[in-house]
Amino acid sequence: MKQAILASFLALASATAPFSAAKAQVERANFDSSPFSLGTLTENEGALGRDLWDGATAEEIADQLRNVPTSYEDPVKRLILRRVLLSPGNGPDGADADLAGLKLLRAAEAGYVMEAGALAELMPGLVVQPSLSRIVAMRDLYKLQFDQACARGANLREGRQQPFFVRLRAFCYIHAGETPAAELTISLAREEGVLSPGDEQMYANLFARSVPNEFPRSALQYAAYRKLGGLFAPTDIPDVTPAVAAAIVYDRGLSTPTRSAALVRAAREDLVPARDLADAAASLEGEEVASVIATIAAQPAGSFNRSQAIGEALVAAKQNPDLYLVLTKIYGQEIASMRPDAVTMPYATELALSSLIIRNFATAEAWIQAVAAENTIGAERAFLNLAKLYSYLRPGAAQRLAGAIGERLPDPPVPAIRIPDALAQAQASADLPTTVDRAITAAASGARGSMLLAALATSGVRASGELAAVRDTVGAALYKRAEANRLAADAAFQRQALESVGSLREEVINKEAYVPRLKPIAAGQ
């Protein structure tokens, strides 16, 4: 039985998907201008191809989006989910504003609420699009803009009775001091069965004006928690949801150390756009990052002095990978425009690494070659290390660079994606047969986005013994067919790059087969 299921699934995944994908590309040649097609990611930021939904139907994708987990322990799975949900591309057949709202809702729940809110706000006619208005209201709540969030609900012409907006309306009545109206709204919502135990506790705390004992897990809960004076410590940041971590970055009512810890997590997990990251970092009075930003800001934009200040800041941050990453993301556009010259050459190694982190490969290659031109043992080590890091992202281009000095790069160590995930299992409720059915549908469609969602869904299935083997085989086959190894390599690069920040010139990554080509210069020579 198990062998028959696996054999039929693997045959379907390998045989029909290419035909379906090719057919879909012919049928859907026109650019899709529907709300679903919008995304925040660019090609340099790792956006998937615009055809990632070709071959799937809106009904299939809606079913997958409702059931895919949005919480994962594994950074690779978080990266995959972000790429799927925030890449622009032609929507599946029948995609509409409701499906776009569902996609953005899952992105917001996964922690990317600021980007999802920005996309939803671009859509025309929000007052008649409750699925999109909800995303913007969530963003407003996380940013503690209560009046704006309440106005989103009050101005709706359609969907005012949807559960989210009923719960929001009750919060808004409490915020405005209209207790009888709030009590009536909550009572009616309770009768309709749209209040969770967490909602009940939230309203009880608001009426009693007592700070909740547990951290918030939703936009409304965060708004209530902060309205009641709830605080966070820096040590709490790893334990809050990604969306709450992003909200803390913006929340100037919290302590600077807490916001600083949230800023680092936001930079590592791509929870906040670079522009907002810069504004938040600059406001962290007394923190090193704010001092660095002030120093760079004192130099005229586009000047040699500013390039020098950015380079010196990166060099100074080599022993602090978190600060290095934050600075790289904040100044990514300027780093992408810098080229090797007399002013910038002292920072070639750092600018090469930062260019790789921001995925500006043309600039990165120029800097890697500039490092090689230094003609010292330290520079040779840095050159090989940078080439090896580059091989995670573009193995062919990296080997071309290394081949110029006669080196053969080893394959970068990219761990296989582990299927079961504890956080996904705590959130998901799908059983194995249903998950396999969705996987078969995704494989038959040949849509990369659908196959990646189906693969992620397998992580939420609890199983043991032979059933676990079925789950793991189905998940692995989907990941292979959807070329998820390239996304796993991206995640492995990010981890290895930060681990290597301070040692690119001191030691060689994967030392085997490394032989220095230059003799050390003796003291006094």
Side-chain angles (χ1 to χ4, degrees):
M1 175 73 173
K2 180 187 75 172
Q3 287 77 11
I5 292 174
L6 296 184
S8 61
F9 176 79
L10 292 173
L12 183 63
S14 60
T16 63
F19 172 78
S20 297
K23 179 174 180 287
Q25 288 169 11
V26 172
E27 291 177 346
R28 295 181 55 81
N30 294 330
F31 178 78
D32 182 354
S33 59
S34 73
F36 188 92
S37 70
L38 294 181
T40 59
L41 298 179
T42 65
E43 184 177 354
N44 275 356
E45 294 168 323
L48 305 179
R50 292 198 63 90
D51 60 350
L52 78 162
W53 304 109
D54 285 1
T57 67
E59 183 179 4
E60 293 164 358
I61 299 306
D63 181 53
Q64 288 188 291
L65 289 172
R66 291 189 191 100
N67 291 282
V68 69
T70 54
S71 299
Y72 301 94
E73 287 184 329
D74 186 357
V76 178
K77 299 188 186 82
R78 292 199 297 270
L79 181 148
I80 291 172
L81 184 64
R82 180 171 186 265
R83 299 278 179 90
V84 170
L85 296 180
L86 294 179
S87 291
N90 299 334
D93 288 330
D96 57 14
D98 284 340
L99 188 63
L102 179 56
K103 181 177 75 165
L104 292 180
L105 174 62
R106 302 323 305 271
E109 291 172 342
Y112 313 114
V113 63
M114 303 305 165
E115 290 176 281
L119 282 176
E121 206 164 26
L122 293 175
M123 312 297 180
L126 275 179
V127 293
V128 294
Q129 300 289 356
S131 59
L132 296 173
S133 290
R134 175 180 179 177
I135 312 302
V136 183
M138 288 172 61
R139 191 271 315 272
D140 293 340
L141 289 168
Y142 275 121
K143 296 181 81 169
L144 305 184
Q145 296 170 342
F146 300 154
D147 292 341
Q148 289 186 34
C150 292
R152 306 284 181 194
N155 293 336
L156 270 182
R157 294 204 293 267
E158 296 180 13
R160 285 172 53 83
Q161 295 309 118
Q162 290 186 4
F164 171 82
F165 290 104
V166 172
R167 293 192 292 264
L168 174 62
R169 189 153 58 247
F171 171 86
C172 294
Y173 282 138
I174 296 172
H175 175 61
E178 300 179 27
T179 301
E183 290 175 337
L184 177 60
T185 302
I186 292 169
S187 176
L188 294 174
R190 187 179 293 121
E191 291 178 6
E192 293 294 325
V194 300
L195 296 185
S196 69
D199 295 327
E200 295 276 13
Q201 186 61 55
M202 175 186 70
Y203 293 126
N205 287 124
L206 284 167
F207 285 129
R209 299 183 181 180
S210 63
V211 178
N213 294 322
E214 296 183 356
F215 290 140
R217 300 193 62 81
S218 71
L220 271 171
Q221 288 177 11
Y222 183 82
Y225 185 83
R226 291 294 292 123
K227 180 177 175 64
L228 293 167
L231 301 174
F232 302 88
T235 53
D236 296 329
I237 299 305
D239 300 323
V240 301
T241 67
V244 168
I248 291 172
V249 172
Y250 295 83
D251 193 339
R252 300 197 182 194
L254 295 170
S255 72
T256 294
T258 297
R259 292 182 62 220
S260 182
L263 185 85
V264 169
R265 182 175 172 188
R268 282 182 171 266
E269 298 182 21
D270 292 311
L271 302 177
V272 172
R275 181 182 64 257
D276 293 354
L277 205 66
D279 292 341
S283 71
L284 298 175
E285 187 174 348
E287 293 287 313
E288 183 179 2
V289 65
S291 176
V292 172
I293 288 173
T295 298
I296 295 173
Q299 307 304 323
S303 68
F304 289 131
N305 287 344
R306 188 173 175 94
S307 295
Q308 185 177 35
I310 292 172
E312 289 179 351
L314 293 174
V315 171
K318 285 195 302 183
Q319 302 309 317
N320 185 344
D322 289 331
L323 176 59
Y324 189 98
L325 178 65
V326 169
L327 293 175
T328 293
K329 295 203 167 185
I330 288 174
Y331 296 106
Q333 288 189 341
E334 292 183 71
I335 290 170
S337 67
M338 294 165 66
R339 296 293 182 270
D341 57 35
V343 172
T344 56
M345 274 302 296
Y347 322 113
T349 300
E350 291 71 34
L351 291 170
L353 179 61
S354 291
S355 297
L356 288 175
I357 290 172
I358 62 174
R359 299 176 60 89
N360 193 302
F361 300 134
T363 302
E365 288 196 22
W367 286 114
I368 294 172
Q369 291 169 331
V371 170
E374 291 182 29
N375 206 33
T376 65
I377 287 182
E380 185 177 341
R381 290 188 184 117
F383 172 84
L384 287 173
N385 284 332
L386 289 165
K388 288 175 180 177
L389 289 172
Y390 192 19
S391 70
Y392 284 96
L393 305 174
R394 296 183 69 186
Q399 182 55 57
R400 173 175 50 78
L401 289 175
I405 63 167
E407 284 287 340
R408 178 74 182 173
L409 296 178
D411 291 334
V414 179
I417 301 173
R418 188 172 182 271
I419 302 302
D421 189 291
L423 280 181
Q425 290 177 353
Q427 183 187 39
S429 59
D431 56 25
L432 183 60
T434 303
T435 302
V436 171
D437 283 346
R438 292 184 180 125
I440 291 172
T441 299
S445 76
R448 190 182 186 197
S450 181
M451 289 189 286
L452 288 172
L453 287 178
L456 289 170
T458 63
S459 294
V461 175
R462 298 177 184 272
S464 59
E466 288 195 351
L467 294 181
V470 172
R471 174 201 62 198
D472 295 353
T473 301
V474 169
L478 286 166
Y479 279 132
K480 181 178 180 180
R481 180 66 191 87
E483 298 183 334
N485 59 310
R486 291 157 55 186
L487 303 178
D490 278 10
F493 161 78
Q494 293 177 16
R495 182 182 65 253
Q496 185 65 61
L498 291 183
E499 290 176 357
S500 307
V501 166
S503 58
L504 288 172
R505 288 178 175 266
E506 279 69 47
E507 55 182 298
V508 175
I509 304 168
N510 303 331
K511 297 183 181 64
E512 58 270 23
Y514 170 65
V515 179
R517 299 177 181 279
L518 298 170
K519 293 182 179 179
I521 299 175
Q525 291 188 346

